[in-house]
């Protein structure tokens, strides 16, 4: 990611805080962040778990993961289990979490909202979404999206779109997480 790119300061912040990491190194040893790779649901759960680890140094998990598609011992198991125990994430009607499923922007807003509630942060901020040309695509996520825009965690994209059903890439996740932490003075 080039230093002049819009997401550079957000990626730099997320990496510096230990919330997100690179996805390997180049031959000359430079870290590869891979900013335009789509994020999965379990990756966002891991990012939120990392936020909690950075803040508290430890994370308590009291039970087993409730989702049938979360594999015991996989890198994301603890994060998804912790997030489920604390009502930060939910699964689907079939009992799965959606491991491997690319996460929509509205799902990111929902998980961040749920994390804010878990932390007992103020979640009363709202915004009028009618200024976005695709407000009709927000659907079930309206309370979470109005909060995310109102709390300045999320903003629209070029052309006045919110793109609620579009997938979030790593750069978008770094931006939203950084905005979230900044909104709450973290």
């Amino acid at each position: 990611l080039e230093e002049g790119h819009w997401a550079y300061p957000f990626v730099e912040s997320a990496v510096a805080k230990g919330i997100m990491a690179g996805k390997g190194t180049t031959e000359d040893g430079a870290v590869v962040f891979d900013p335009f790779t789509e994020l999965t649901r379990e990756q966002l759960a891991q990012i939120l778990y990392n936020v909690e680890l950075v803040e508290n140094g430890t994370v308590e998990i009291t039970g087993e993961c409730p989702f049938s598609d979360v594999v015991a011992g996989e890198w994301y198991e603890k994060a998804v289990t912790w997030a489920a125990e604390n009502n930060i994430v939910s699964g689907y009607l079939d009992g799965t979490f959606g491991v491997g499923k690319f996460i929509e922007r509205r799902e990111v807003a929902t998980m961040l909202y749920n994390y804010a509630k878990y932390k007992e942060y103020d979640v009363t901020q709202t915004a009028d979404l009618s200024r976005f040309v695709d407000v009709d695509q927000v659907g079930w996520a309206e309370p979470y999206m109005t909060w995310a825009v109102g709390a300045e965690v999320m903003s629209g994209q070029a052309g006045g779109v919110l793109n609620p059903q579009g997938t979030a890439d790593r750069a978008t996740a770094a931006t939203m997480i950084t905005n979230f932490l900044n909104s709450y003075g973290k």
Side-chain angles (χ1 to χ4, degrees):
L1 188 64
E2 299 297 320
E3 194 166 329
H5 189 276
W6 64 266
Y8 185 86
F10 303 104
V11 169
E12 184 179 49
S13 177
V15 171
K17 289 179 180 177
I19 295 164
M20 294 180 78
K23 293 186 77 176
T25 56
T26 62
E27 289 180 12
D28 63 355
V31 175
V32 176
F33 185 77
D34 210 7
F36 307 114
T37 297
E38 293 175 309
L39 199 71
T40 61
R41 288 172 50 84
E42 68 273 16
Q43 288 171 331
L44 182 59
Q46 183 66 54
I47 291 167
L48 294 175
Y49 183 81
N50 293 347
V51 170
E52 194 68 8
L53 277 174
V54 166
E55 187 174 305
N56 297 322
T58 185
V59 175
E60 185 177 335
I61 299 170
T62 59
E64 293 183 20
C65 190
F67 306 116
S68 63
D69 61 337
V70 171
V71 178
E74 283 294 324
W75 61 267
Y76 56 82
E77 178 197 13
K78 287 181 182 179
V80 173
T81 302
W82 164 80
E85 285 181 356
N86 292 291
N87 299 312
I88 297 165
V89 301
S90 60
Y92 296 103
L93 293 176
D94 66 358
T96 64
F97 176 67
V99 171
K101 180 183 180 291
F102 295 130
I103 194 163
E104 295 179 349
R105 288 168 50 91
R106 64 184 178 175
E107 291 176 306
V108 175
T110 302
M111 287 186 195
L112 288 173
Y113 176 90
N114 290 339
Y115 182 66
K117 283 188 68 176
Y118 163 73
K119 298 297 286 182
E120 298 181 352
Y121 295 157
D122 178 15
V123 291
T124 60
Q125 307 90 332
T126 61
D128 181 3
L129 300 183
S130 66
R131 64 187 162 130
F132 298 104
V133 298
D134 57 350
V135 66
D136 61 319
Q137 295 177 19
V138 171
W140 57 264
E142 184 176 354
Y144 314 111
M145 297 290 281
T146 58
W147 163 80
V149 174
E152 298 181 355
V153 169
M154 171 185 280
S155 62
Q157 298 176 322
V161 298
L162 196 52
N163 195 15
Q165 294 179 28
T167 55
D169 59 24
R170 287 173 49 83
T172 300
T175 301
M176 291 177 69
I177 291 292
T178 300
N179 288 342
F180 174 87
L181 295 172
N182 290 341
S183 288
Y184 292 105
K186 302 295 177 191

